[in-house]
Structures are given as structure tokens and as C-alpha cells.
Amino acid sequence: MGKPLILITNDDGIAAKGIDALIRSMIQFGDVVVVAPDKPQSGMGHAITVNHPLRMDRSKIFPDIEAYSTTGTPVDCVKLGIYEVLKRKPDLLVSGINHGANFSTNVLYSGTMSAAVEGAMENIPSIGFSLCDFAADADFSGAQKIVAEVTELVLRNQFPHHICLNVNIPKLPANEIKGVKFCKQAAAYWDDRFEQRQDPFGHSYYWLTGKFQEIETEEDTDLHYINEGYATIVPTQFDMTAHAAIEELKNWK
Amino acid sequence: MGKPLILITNDDGIAAKGIDALIRSMIQFGDVVVVAPDKPQSGMGHAITVNHPLRMDRSKIFPDIEAYSTTGTPVDCVKLGIYEVLKRKPDLLVSGINHGANFSTNVLYSGTMSAAVEGAMENIPSIGFSLCDFAADADFSGAQKIVAEVTELVLRNQFPHHICLNVNIPKLPANEIKGVKFCKQAAAYWDDRFEQRQDPFGHSYYWLTGKFQEIETEEDTDLHYINEGYATIVPTQFDMTAHAAIEELKNWK
């Protein structure tokens, strides 16, 4: 096999520092094509654009890289990348590096991870990378070390069908990250609050804020290992069936 | 216990016929409060609004019902409903009735189902209802019969923790629906295509289209039973970990 064809996207937008870091890591491994949102699309989850048309333009933001910016969501970018740009499935799909953690139930809200889940639905080996640092000017050097390690692992091994990897990286210098742990997503949720404000015209509006709360503390979770200084890899699927509950529900009277 | 407090939302918007049908069914069971998007939010998945502020206004669209329209997504509506409108968790959260099927992997793209999943994360008994008919003037009478049956079941039994129900109803008259099946989500995906058009100014844009494709045909799935004329109930969770894959990945070299 020749060099792998790698499709790159993210949810922070094509101008974010994190996707630049990811591209720099990926050009060592294969031929890179970028299809990314033209603006921040954080928190877009698995949204797709159905109520208005999509636009996609060639971007000159990365010299020497074939890159496109779109008006769509991260999942739209994956679909456009496969069906309009590449006209084939890439050998690898990577999303990120996200500015901010996507461990635990954040996987549901995350555009970064939804892009990877969309790749899994297409049966493409897919990885979402997130650094636990929301700052626009975050230091991605530690993350890039993990990105390289995980990508090497993925290219060397048989990727399971119809899953993707959710990789979270602690906000630490490269030499202080203790290693990589395969584990499960922590049971947690956002204890939401809204901050209500008045606009200059006397109308109220809300900002969503919140505190991340664990439902139960367990050791074999991404949240636990991140707090211990490890990078985490959670194999992530798109089957949301609560299989164990089916028989329980059949007994309902 | 007195009458249950029921929070209602949807993704087709507060003016859709489907939420009107759901409200009419729910007022038989408890006290109803509606918090729904002010415009269609189909395909929004688990998106939340983080990059701009949210607005919420009292709506007069349903006489005698406490109702609010918001500029947000279905998940935003659930959060606003719990934390700003009710200031408590409702006894039941229902979403829909969606104009269009949400079986199989559509659960990931569906705003209707993401609202129910958000309810599950808050440990509220939550149900998403979808009718397999995209038409704006769809006939919801068959769906209303299933909505009543499922709601009675839910109120009579202990609801499992941290799951929600994905209920799909075939496009059939009430007396031709064969019954209700508890089952799993079918393995399928959208084989996407884009229709490229030119705007009057010579710039191209895309519409996402596609064909729904089964990955493997199995009998115990929502897709199978819907095609047989049954309504389906899939217990749905927010743990996306592919647990079986963790050990496999630990063996990667």
C-alpha cells in the first residue's frame, strides 16, 4: 500500500490553532486533505445541515495543502469530504485537535467527535483528538506527541469495524504525560445553569453555563485517567441501544 | 402522587402539526409545559448553542397551555425548560411527534431524539416519538394511539435509570398498526449524495441528499418491525463506549 489518504476536519473552524497542529502531525503519515468549517462549530454534536444549502470553497490558509472551508457542521464536512472532494473513502479520518476536553458524555455534544462517529458509520478508521485546554492559543506540543503515537498504533493494527477512537490529552507538557490508557467513557453530565442578561433594548437573553458532574466515580474511565495525567482512548460506537434494558421493558405491564 | 408534570419539546418547531398532536395527547395524562424551537431544527442532533446567546419568549400559539418558543436547539429547549422555566425536573419529558422516522442510526442526527437523550442524562423518564411520514400535514391519529399506549406503560412502570425511549410509528391508520415491539436500533447508514447547483450569481452550493442503507439485515430491529407494520420502542442510552473493543485495543502492538 502507498501512503495513506487522510481526511482532516475539526469543529473549532479551519482557522483554529488545533487543526494546524493536527495537519503538521499528519503530513508525516500520508497525503492530507482538509475539509473544515469556516467558523467555530463547537457543541454542534451530530448536526447536519438540511434546512439551507451548503457552500464549500477552496481555502488558501495552508500553503501546499489541499484544503476546503465549508458553511456546514463537522459532520457535513465529513460527508462533503468523502462524497464531493475525495470521491472515495479516505484510509484514515482525523478530527481536531479540539480546544477543550471531549471525555465522558461530552462525546454527545462534541462536533469533533461527531465527525469521527460519522467516519465510523462509513467504516473508515476514525479518530477524534481533544486537548483539555479551551484556550485559543493552547500549547499543542504535548498533544502532537500523543497524536503521533496513536496514529502509528492505528496504522500498524487492524481497526475494528464501525467504531472510532475518542482520544483526550491532558493539559501537560509532552514529557509529563504518563502514557495512554484504553478505557470507557465516564458517567457524568452537565449541571446546567443559565446566565440571564438584558440587551440594550430591554429584552432578555441567556448564556448556557454549567458545571460538569460525575454520576458515579469509577476508576476505569477517561475522566479518572485524565485527572491522573494520562491520555485516554475510548473506543466509541454509534449503536445507542441500551441492550440490557430490552428484556426489562418487555416485562412491563 | 398528583398529576405528573410533563415537559414537551420537538425539533420541527413550535408551529409544527406534530407537537400539537403530542400536546393534545399529553393533556390527558398531566400538567403540560411546552418549550420548543421557534423554527425547524431537524437534523440538529445533540447540538447546543454556545457561540451566541439564547432567547426564549412566551408563546400564545396554544390557548390555555404554558408554552415558550426559543431560538435554540431541542437540547437547549430541554435545558431551558428544566433550569429556567420549571426550575425543577419534570416527571416526564416527551419530544415530537416528529415528522419523519428516527429509527436506526437516525437517532444520532435527530433533534427529537437528542432532546430525549438529554432527558435521560438528567435521569428524567423521557420519550421521543416519531411518525414515519415527513409530510407537514401528516395524519397523526395512528401515532396518537401509540403515544397514549406508551405513555400509559411508562407512567405505570418503573423507568430504568439513564435511558430514554425511541418510539417510531409506521405511517398507517390506527387500526392497521399491528402492535408495539421492544427491539434494538438497526445497523444502517446514509449513503450520501450531494446535489450541486448554481446560484443566480454563478456560485455553487450543495443540498445533502442520500439513500438509507442497511449494513446488515437483522430481524430484531426497529427498521425490520416498522416495515412489518409495528410501532417500535428502542431503549436508548448515552454511553457510546464500545465496551467489547476495549480489550481488543489493549492488545494493539
Side-chain angles (χ1 to χ4, degrees), chain A residues 102-104 106-107 113 116 126-130 164-168 185 222 232-236:
Chain A
N102 279 318
F103 46 57
S104 183
N106 290 301
V107 65
M113 275 311 299
S126 300
I127 317 168
F129 292 104
S130 303
C164 62
L165 302 185
N166 183 10
V167 179
N168 280 275
Q185 116 187 16
D222 48 7
T232 57
I233 305 181
V234 176
T236 299

Short mmCIF file of all heavy atoms in Angstrom, two decimals, chain A residues 102-104 106-107 113 116 126-130 164-168 185 222 232-236:
data_model
loop_
_atom_site.label_atom_id
_atom_site.label_comp_id
_atom_site.label_asym_id
_atom_site.label_seq_id
_atom_site.Cartn_x
_atom_site.Cartn_y
_atom_site.Cartn_z
N ASN A 102 -13.11 16.42 25.44
CA ASN A 102 -14.31 15.75 24.97
C ASN A 102 -14.47 14.38 25.62
O ASN A 102 -14.97 13.44 25.00
CB ASN A 102 -14.30 15.62 23.44
CG ASN A 102 -14.74 16.90 22.77
OD1 ASN A 102 -15.69 17.54 23.21
ND2 ASN A 102 -14.05 17.29 21.71
N PHE A 103 -14.03 14.28 26.86
CA PHE A 103 -14.21 12.99 27.55
C PHE A 103 -15.65 12.87 28.04
O PHE A 103 -16.45 13.80 27.93
CB PHE A 103 -13.22 12.82 28.71
CG PHE A 103 -13.08 14.02 29.61
CD1 PHE A 103 -14.16 14.56 30.27
CD2 PHE A 103 -11.82 14.60 29.82
CE1 PHE A 103 -14.03 15.64 31.12
CE2 PHE A 103 -11.67 15.68 30.66
CZ PHE A 103 -12.78 16.20 31.31
N SER A 104 -15.94 11.68 28.55
CA SER A 104 -17.24 11.39 29.17
C SER A 104 -18.39 11.73 28.21
O SER A 104 -18.27 11.55 27.00
CB SER A 104 -17.36 12.16 30.49
OG SER A 104 -18.57 11.86 31.14
N ASN A 106 -19.39 14.41 27.09
CA ASN A 106 -19.13 15.47 26.11
C ASN A 106 -19.07 14.93 24.69
O ASN A 106 -19.24 15.68 23.74
CB ASN A 106 -17.82 16.17 26.45
CG ASN A 106 -17.94 16.99 27.71
OD1 ASN A 106 -18.77 17.88 27.79
ND2 ASN A 106 -17.15 16.66 28.71
N VAL A 107 -18.82 13.62 24.57
CA VAL A 107 -18.81 13.00 23.24
C VAL A 107 -20.11 13.28 22.49
O VAL A 107 -20.13 13.38 21.27
CB VAL A 107 -18.53 11.47 23.37
CG1 VAL A 107 -19.65 10.75 24.10
CG2 VAL A 107 -18.28 10.83 22.02
N MET A 113 -15.99 14.99 17.90
CA MET A 113 -16.24 13.55 18.00
C MET A 113 -17.34 13.09 17.05
O MET A 113 -17.30 11.97 16.54
CB MET A 113 -16.56 13.16 19.44
CG MET A 113 -15.32 12.91 20.28
SD MET A 113 -14.15 11.79 19.44
CE MET A 113 -15.16 10.30 19.27
N ALA A 116 -15.88 12.11 13.89
CA ALA A 116 -15.25 10.78 13.97
C ALA A 116 -16.31 9.67 13.97
O ALA A 116 -16.13 8.62 13.34
CB ALA A 116 -14.36 10.68 15.22
N SER A 126 -11.28 6.08 12.20
CA SER A 126 -11.50 7.50 12.51
C SER A 126 -11.11 7.80 13.95
O SER A 126 -11.37 6.99 14.85
CB SER A 126 -12.98 7.85 12.31
OG SER A 126 -13.38 7.61 10.97
N ILE A 127 -10.50 8.96 14.13
CA ILE A 127 -10.02 9.34 15.47
C ILE A 127 -10.38 10.80 15.72
O ILE A 127 -10.12 11.66 14.87
CB ILE A 127 -8.48 9.22 15.58
CG1 ILE A 127 -7.96 7.94 14.92
CG2 ILE A 127 -8.06 9.30 17.05
CD1 ILE A 127 -6.43 7.93 14.76
N GLY A 128 -10.94 11.08 16.88
CA GLY A 128 -11.12 12.46 17.33
C GLY A 128 -10.09 12.76 18.41
O GLY A 128 -9.96 11.99 19.37
N PHE A 129 -9.34 13.86 18.24
CA PHE A 129 -8.33 14.25 19.22
C PHE A 129 -8.76 15.53 19.93
O PHE A 129 -9.14 16.51 19.27
CB PHE A 129 -6.99 14.53 18.52
CG PHE A 129 -6.33 13.33 17.92
CD1 PHE A 129 -6.36 13.10 16.55
CD2 PHE A 129 -5.66 12.41 18.73
CE1 PHE A 129 -5.73 11.99 15.99
CE2 PHE A 129 -5.03 11.30 18.18
CZ PHE A 129 -5.07 11.09 16.81
N SER A 130 -8.66 15.54 21.24
CA SER A 130 -9.03 16.73 22.01
C SER A 130 -8.00 16.99 23.10
O SER A 130 -7.59 16.07 23.82
CB SER A 130 -10.40 16.53 22.68
OG SER A 130 -11.38 16.23 21.72
N CYS A 164 -14.98 4.29 16.37
CA CYS A 164 -13.93 5.29 16.21
C CYS A 164 -13.26 5.45 17.57
O CYS A 164 -13.68 4.85 18.56
CB CYS A 164 -14.51 6.61 15.72
SG CYS A 164 -15.70 7.37 16.84
N LEU A 165 -12.20 6.25 17.60
CA LEU A 165 -11.47 6.45 18.86
C LEU A 165 -11.68 7.87 19.35
O LEU A 165 -11.53 8.83 18.59
CB LEU A 165 -9.98 6.19 18.65
CG LEU A 165 -9.58 4.81 18.12
CD1 LEU A 165 -8.05 4.69 18.10
CD2 LEU A 165 -10.19 3.68 18.94
N ASN A 166 -12.00 7.98 20.63
CA ASN A 166 -12.09 9.29 21.28
C ASN A 166 -10.85 9.49 22.13
O ASN A 166 -10.72 8.90 23.20
CB ASN A 166 -13.36 9.37 22.14
CG ASN A 166 -13.53 10.74 22.78
OD1 ASN A 166 -12.81 11.68 22.45
ND2 ASN A 166 -14.46 10.85 23.72
N VAL A 167 -9.92 10.30 21.63
CA VAL A 167 -8.63 10.50 22.31
C VAL A 167 -8.64 11.85 23.01
O VAL A 167 -8.85 12.89 22.38
CB VAL A 167 -7.47 10.44 21.30
CG1 VAL A 167 -6.13 10.68 22.00
CG2 VAL A 167 -7.46 9.10 20.57
N ASN A 168 -8.43 11.83 24.32
CA ASN A 168 -8.30 13.07 25.09
C ASN A 168 -6.91 13.15 25.68
O ASN A 168 -6.34 12.14 26.10
CB ASN A 168 -9.35 13.12 26.21
CG ASN A 168 -10.70 13.54 25.67
OD1 ASN A 168 -10.98 14.73 25.55
ND2 ASN A 168 -11.53 12.56 25.31
N GLN A 185 -15.99 5.61 28.69
CA GLN A 185 -16.45 6.98 28.95
C GLN A 185 -17.03 7.07 30.36
O GLN A 185 -17.75 6.17 30.80
CB GLN A 185 -17.47 7.39 27.86
CG GLN A 185 -18.86 7.66 28.27
CD GLN A 185 -19.84 7.90 27.10
OE1 GLN A 185 -19.59 7.61 25.94
NE2 GLN A 185 -21.00 8.43 27.43
N ASP A 222 -12.27 7.61 31.32
CA ASP A 222 -11.45 8.67 30.74
C ASP A 222 -11.25 9.84 31.72
O ASP A 222 -10.15 10.35 31.89
CB ASP A 222 -12.02 9.15 29.39
CG ASP A 222 -13.51 9.46 29.37
OD1 ASP A 222 -14.15 9.45 30.45
OD2 ASP A 222 -14.02 9.74 28.27
N THR A 232 -6.20 9.47 27.13
CA THR A 232 -7.17 8.37 27.16
C THR A 232 -7.69 8.09 25.76
O THR A 232 -7.81 9.00 24.93
CB THR A 232 -8.36 8.71 28.07
OG1 THR A 232 -8.97 9.93 27.61
CG2 THR A 232 -7.93 8.88 29.51
N ILE A 233 -7.99 6.80 25.51
CA ILE A 233 -8.59 6.38 24.24
C ILE A 233 -9.85 5.58 24.57
O ILE A 233 -9.77 4.50 25.16
CB ILE A 233 -7.64 5.51 23.41
CG1 ILE A 233 -6.30 6.23 23.19
CG2 ILE A 233 -8.29 5.15 22.07
CD1 ILE A 233 -5.30 5.43 22.35
N VAL A 234 -10.99 6.11 24.19
CA VAL A 234 -12.25 5.38 24.39
C VAL A 234 -12.75 4.93 23.01
O VAL A 234 -13.06 5.76 22.16
CB VAL A 234 -13.32 6.26 25.06
CG1 VAL A 234 -14.65 5.51 25.16
CG2 VAL A 234 -12.87 6.71 26.44
N PRO A 235 -12.84 3.59 22.78
CA PRO A 235 -13.47 3.14 21.54
C PRO A 235 -14.96 3.51 21.59
O PRO A 235 -15.63 3.25 22.58
CB PRO A 235 -13.26 1.61 21.56
CG PRO A 235 -13.03 1.27 22.99
CD PRO A 235 -12.42 2.48 23.65
N THR A 236 -15.43 4.14 20.53
CA THR A 236 -16.75 4.78 20.56
C THR A 236 -17.59 4.25 19.40
O THR A 236 -17.11 4.16 18.27
CB THR A 236 -16.55 6.30 20.47
OG1 THR A 236 -15.79 6.72 21.62
CG2 THR A 236 -17.88 7.05 20.45
#
